[in-house]
Amino acid sequence: MRILAFAMGHAIRADDGAGLAVAHGLDALVPGLEVLEVPELRPEHAEAVATVDGVLFLDASVAGTPGDVRAARLVPRPAREAILHSLTPEEILGLARALFGHAPPGALVTIAGREFAFGEALSPEVEAALPLAREKAREMAAGF
């Protein structure tokens, strides 16, 4: 089984790098995992999504109490009509289906952040949540 993980965020924006941090070591927990580190989701990512058996989206969130981990299955939806450079995970799945005929199962795993200013260190809350976020990602991938 081939699983693709989009580790999203900016490592130089403190907790915005949470998705990147979750991805580190995740390949040891999820067989067949390929990780792509991206600052944002772009329309051209739909082609890669259409070729795999499942896709994880790993990201930081501004919603919730810092350190909160959330995991949810995703439902593909059509991309917004405007020409955009950044899309949601659901829109990437929808584009994969519309353009390439296949949208694999997808899941989003997020950690709520506290600090998004310039800096490379994760907040203590996000750092402490990394093991749980990796476990949630593993659980989601096992359900593909």
Side-chain angles (χ1 to χ4, degrees):
M1 177 174 262
R2 289 186 56 225
I3 298 174
L4 180 61
F6 285 96
M8 299 184 290
H10 298 87
I12 61 167
R13 295 290 308 261
D15 289 343
D16 192 49
L20 304 169
V22 171
H24 295 158
L26 190 58
D27 57 340
L29 301 174
V30 180
L33 183 72
E34 175 188 348
V35 175
L36 288 178
E37 293 186 2
V38 298
E40 62 188 22
L41 295 171
R42 299 173 46 105
E44 48 272 19
H45 291 130
E47 185 173 7
V49 166
T51 67
V52 297
D53 300 305
V55 61
L56 294 168
F57 298 91
L58 312 172
D59 204 359
S61 174
V62 296
T65 303
D68 282 353
V69 175
R70 294 194 178 130
R73 297 261 180 233
L74 300 173
V75 176
R77 77 167 188 231
R80 294 160 281 167
E81 292 294 323
I83 301 298
L84 300 172
H85 292 286
S86 180
L87 298 171
T88 67
E90 295 89 347
E91 289 172 324
I92 291 294
L93 291 170
L95 272 179
R97 178 182 289 154
L99 297 175
F100 304 101
H102 175 67
L108 173 64
V109 178
T110 62
I111 301 177
R114 177 172 52 85
E115 183 61 55
F116 293 90
F118 287 106
E120 293 186 12
L122 297 173
S123 67
E125 297 91 341
V126 169
E127 193 72 47
L130 290 174
L132 176 59
R134 287 186 192 106
E135 178 56 24
K136 291 288 185 186
R138 186 201 62 74
E139 290 172 5
M140 289 288 167
F144 297 157

